[in-house]
Amino acid sequence: GENVEQHPSTLSVQEGDSAVIKCTYSDSASNYFPWYKQELGKRPQLIIDIRSNVGEKKDQRIAVTLNKTAKHFSLHITETQPEDSAVYFCAASRGGGFKTIFGAGTRLFVKA
Amino acid sequence: NAGVTQTPKFRVLKTGQSMTLLCAQDMNHEYMYWYRQDPGMGLRLIHYSVGEGTTAKGEVPDGYNVSRLKKQNFLLGLESAAPSQTSVYFCASRFNTGGNTEAFFGQGTRLTVV
């Protein structure tokens, strides 16, 4: 069945360093790849998304890259800040599809 | 505009008890979802609905039932709660635009079954 694998499960970085989270997906028909951030005790919220017709998208310190051939996509956070500490989820869904499949999440710690 | 609202926020149940979780959205979204979140397992889809009066099973539907009698509400029922259903439950909704769009989540319900 459809599956999204996410690595690493935990990531600890020093403030100001970059953080990279990687995901692979199994459904070759997937064409929408959102990333959600969940702060402690809060709801997941979309931070960036990418569609299969582009290879990279940036929004200030956050960027996402997509390699359709290899079926993997990554989240890059530059100049990390303590407020970036949270759990990040990648996800994948197919066009016209109803279901979004989530990765298991990455807990990011940014040390001041 | 409240977005997606879940009721209750916390609940403790005894094994075998039943309860209903309510999800309400005021964004006129067609699609609604119930997920459970467990440590190290991400968000797993329990049931979903693509419109009023329709429901479908997700990845982990056993032990749960749902109903979507009104477009704005999606109810999740536990008929006979089990300790394995201890989890944080999230409702989500999104537009049906033909393409894929952002899902908006409720604030979560922390359920403990003892």
Side-chain angles (χ1 to χ4, degrees):
Chain A
E2 302 140 341
N3 186 46
V4 175
E5 293 193 1
Q6 183 171 348
H7 300 280
S9 56
T10 305
L11 179 59
S12 185
V13 299
Q14 206 66 37
E15 182 178 2
D17 288 350
S18 294
V20 180
I21 302 170
K22 299 183 179 182
C23 290
T24 59
Y25 59 97
S26 61
D27 183 0
S28 56
S30 297
N31 66 353
Y32 176 64
F33 307 93
W35 285 87
Y36 290 84
K37 176 183 179 183
Q38 185 182 27
E39 296 176 355
L40 189 62
K42 302 279 182 68
R43 70 192 78 192
Q45 291 189 295
L46 183 77
I47 54 171
I48 193 167
D49 56 14
I50 190 168
R51 300 182 190 277
S52 59
N53 57 346
V54 297
E56 183 175 358
K57 184 176 178 180
K58 258 187 165 180
D59 183 3
Q60 299 184 342
R61 297 186 296 109
I62 295 172
V64 57
T65 58
L66 172 65
N67 183 327
K68 283 181 61 180
T69 303
K71 291 194 286 188
H72 67 68
F73 55 113
S74 301
L75 177 72
H76 305 253
I77 306 174
T78 58
E79 300 172 23
T80 53
Q81 300 167 3
E83 52 264 37
D84 294 329
S85 296
V87 177
Y88 291 81
F89 292 99
C90 63
S93 58
R94 53 165 60 186
F98 309 124
K99 293 188 287 185
T100 300
I101 306 299
F102 286 85
T106 296
R107 186 172 294 277
L108 174 64
F109 296 97
V110 180
K111 295 175 287 187
Chain B
N1 191 338
V4 181
T5 304
Q6 288 179 233
T7 316
K9 292 186 176 61
F10 303 94
R11 186 73 185 268
V12 178
L13 283 181
K14 292 183 179 178
T15 298
Q17 285 185 319
S18 64
M19 77 164 294
T20 301
L21 281 68
L22 170 64
C23 178
Q25 53 95 4
D26 60 3
M27 297 176 282
N28 202 34
H29 287 170
E30 289 289 341
Y31 296 171
M32 295 188 74
Y33 307 85
W34 276 106
Y35 292 91
R36 60 177 288 173
Q37 184 176 27
D38 302 292
M41 302 190 76
L43 293 156
R44 293 185 292 168
L45 183 64
I46 304 171
H47 285 281
Y48 63 100
S49 168
V50 301
E52 183 178 319
T54 70
T55 63
K57 294 180 180 180
E59 303 169 72
V60 288
D62 294 342
Y64 306 95
N65 56 75
V66 288
S67 64
R68 184 106 180 262
L69 298 179
K70 293 183 179 180
K71 185 177 183 179
Q72 62 268 33
N73 295 338
F74 194 30
L75 278 63
L76 178 72
L78 286 72
E79 290 186 349
S80 179
S84 60
Q85 294 178 304
T86 294
S87 187
V88 179
Y89 292 84
F90 284 98
C91 174
S93 70
R94 65 180 178 88
F95 280 115
N96 166 24
T97 61
N100 284 293
T101 54
E102 175 184 0
F104 292 84
F105 285 85
Q107 75 274 35
T109 296
R110 185 174 293 276
L111 175 65
T112 302
V113 183
V114 297

